Amino acid sequence: MPNQNKTLHPLRQNISERRLQEIEYLERQQALQDSFSTRMYGKKDYSKEREKIQQELGGSSSPQKLQVGEKPSEQDLQAGRHSQLPGTRSPAKRFWDIADEQTAKENYPKTPIAVGKEISRYKRENPDEYASYLKKWQDDQKSWQEIDQDIQDGKLSKQDISPAQWDTILNKSQKELDDKQDPQKNPEQKPYCNIYARNRLLQQGIYMEPDKNANQMIEDMDKKGSGWEKLPKKVDALGHSTGKLDHQEAQRRAEAGGTVVATYHNPNNAEHGHIVLLNPKAGMKRSGKWGGEVPSVDGYNTDTKQITEGGSLSEQFSTPREPHMDYYEYTGPKKEKEKE
């Protein structure tokens, strides 16, 4: 009968338990011996020693063991459960632990060692998947200018801009607008109708290029495949263009939910053009100098040097500019907002 009353010293108990594990390991190795090894070295019976230790421990059960001649399962072999002593690492694992730790120190010096080792291990064991994740991470760190260059080079479509990249663009655009409105950062009160309009369009999911003035923005809208449609001017009874803006058509499209802008392309590229967004909710406004009703618009007013929303088009544009003015509606795809 096992000795239930005897209390072993903790150290002795630990040694005995470890010996049981070693016996299990040795029996597993013997189970894997081929006939030649058996003839040369024989096989030892550890049953009596095991029984004695179990009695000493008070009859506690030993770890599951293999019977003589029994082979370990394929699953156990792959898991390494029959290849090394409990609590030890195989030579291969020791090597890769050291290698991963060294790689972590060299490549990720500012990252905790444990994290760096896991990155190294994952990269080594899953090279293709790691490369894919790394590329995505690197793409998400790109600046607005780098993102735009990828679009210009055909490496990226506007529809495939990632959420992280879109956040980068929106944050940079908003900061530029905030800086322009800050008297300390824009003491000369340089006009920024382009930055305001661009920021509003980006917020609607319409991609706009960085670092473009109003004239350049209008020229980009004219390009094939830009997603912008130039509204035709009014025609006379014979169908000939009068060169006059069709304010009613522009307002109709804006009220129908379209994104419509009014533009002035300055023939002198050394000077500023102008661009504003139609505000359909503010309605049409009577203008004496324009000889009728004109749409309400949102934009930077170059006369008052501030942003005006819902004001008359006549406050933003003089009639002599009409020959170089146009309405554009955006008809291309928009970046959808991520669902919360």
Side-chain angles (χ1 to χ4, degrees):
M1 290 291 293
N3 186 354
Q4 300 287 353
N5 299 320
K6 184 177 180 181
T7 302
L8 291 178
H9 188 281
L11 181 59
R12 175 60 182 170
Q13 181 170 340
N14 181 265
I15 293 174
S16 297
E17 290 174 348
R18 291 290 298 174
R19 179 55 182 166
L20 280 179
Q21 292 178 324
E22 290 174 359
I23 289 173
E24 179 196 13
Y25 167 76
L26 293 171
E27 288 183 331
R28 286 172 177 167
Q29 295 304 303
Q30 286 190 160
L32 296 175
Q33 283 182 189
D34 55 26
S35 58
F36 175 78
S37 298
T38 300
R39 290 196 304 272
M40 287 292 296
Y41 306 108
K43 287 191 177 182
K44 187 174 180 180
D45 184 0
Y46 295 95
S47 59
K48 291 183 178 180
E49 182 182 358
R50 182 190 305 103
E51 184 178 354
K52 182 179 179 181
I53 293 173
Q54 288 175 339
Q55 288 179 349
E56 185 179 26
L57 291 173
S60 60
S61 59
S62 63
Q64 184 179 0
K65 60 183 179 59
L66 292 174
Q67 299 299 322
V68 176
E70 181 183 358
K71 292 185 177 181
S73 68
E74 185 66 24
Q75 183 179 2
D76 285 342
L77 286 174
Q78 290 178 357
R81 285 193 278 265
H82 298 288
S83 59
Q84 61 189 65
L85 284 169
T88 66
R89 295 175 299 170
S90 68
K93 179 166 177 51
R94 288 198 300 273
F95 169 81
W96 285 117
D97 277 350
I98 295 170
D100 289 339
E101 183 172 343
Q102 185 63 30
T103 300
K105 291 178 180 178
E106 293 176 357
N107 296 350
Y108 320 109
K110 297 182 179 180
T111 303
I113 288 294
V115 177
K117 285 177 65 177
E118 183 61 20
I119 295 173
S120 176
R121 182 198 64 76
Y122 184 81
K123 179 180 179 180
R124 172 168 50 79
E125 296 179 355
N126 307 276
D128 294 339
E129 192 171 341
Y130 175 84
S132 176
Y133 279 120
L134 179 62
K135 183 181 183 304
K136 182 181 183 304
W137 181 85
Q138 290 173 334
D139 287 343
D140 286 345
Q141 309 309 307
K142 288 184 176 180
S143 67
W144 188 0
Q145 286 74 14
E146 290 172 324
I147 295 168
D148 188 69
Q149 190 60 55
D150 284 346
I151 292 174
Q152 303 304 323
D153 293 342
K155 298 178 181 178
L156 177 70
S157 71
K158 296 175 183 178
Q159 291 71 47
D160 291 333
I161 297 173
S162 73
Q165 289 176 328
W166 195 254
D167 284 343
T168 295
I169 294 169
L170 290 177
N171 292 336
K172 180 69 182 301
S173 179
Q174 185 62 52
K175 184 179 185 306
E176 289 183 9
L177 179 59
D178 293 341
D179 288 348
K180 286 295 183 182
Q181 296 180 91
D182 186 340
Q184 293 183 339
K185 295 182 178 179
N186 186 19
E188 299 177 9
Q189 294 186 316
K190 293 182 179 180
Y192 51 91
C193 69
N194 57 323
I195 296 177
Y196 172 79
R198 181 193 67 191
N199 195 60
R200 282 281 304 275
L201 294 170
L202 286 169
Q203 289 175 349
Q204 295 182 39
I206 300 172
Y207 178 77
M208 303 297 291
E209 294 81 358
D211 309 321
K212 296 290 182 78
N213 60 34
N215 266 12
Q216 292 169 330
M217 289 174 67
I218 298 165
E219 290 164 6
D220 285 342
M221 291 176 182
D222 269 332
K223 291 178 182 177
K224 183 178 179 181
S226 68
W228 289 92
E229 176 191 351
K230 182 190 291 187
L231 275 60
K233 299 286 183 70
K234 286 185 176 181
V235 296
D236 59 21
L238 297 176
H240 299 141
S241 176
T242 63
K244 298 292 184 180
L245 292 170
D246 193 339
H247 303 300
Q248 288 72 26
E249 177 62 13
Q251 179 70 12
R252 184 191 69 78
R253 294 199 183 198
E255 289 179 352
T259 299
V260 183
V261 298
T263 67
Y264 164 66
H265 188 280
N266 198 320
N268 182 356
N269 277 322
E271 298 181 3
H272 294 282
H274 199 45
I275 180 169
V276 298
L277 288 82
L278 265 64
N279 184 334
K281 292 183 179 179
M284 299 278 280
K285 289 182 170 60
R286 185 75 185 176
S287 171
K289 66 180 181 181
W290 280 89
E293 290 189 329
V294 294
S296 298
V297 298
D298 299 340
Y300 172 83
N301 190 311
T302 55
D303 292 331
T304 62
K305 298 186 184 303
Q306 62 183 8
I307 293 170
T308 303
E309 296 183 346
S312 172
L313 177 91
S314 64
E315 298 171 3
Q316 297 274 0
F317 300 93
S318 60
T319 53
R321 291 184 171 185
E322 188 171 18
H324 301 286
M325 289 179 63
D326 283 291
Y327 286 115
Y328 290 85
E329 180 184 15
Y330 186 74
T331 58
K334 297 184 179 183
K335 182 70 175 177
E336 294 183 2
K337 293 182 179 180
E338 295 296 310
K339 296 181 179 180
E340 297 182 355

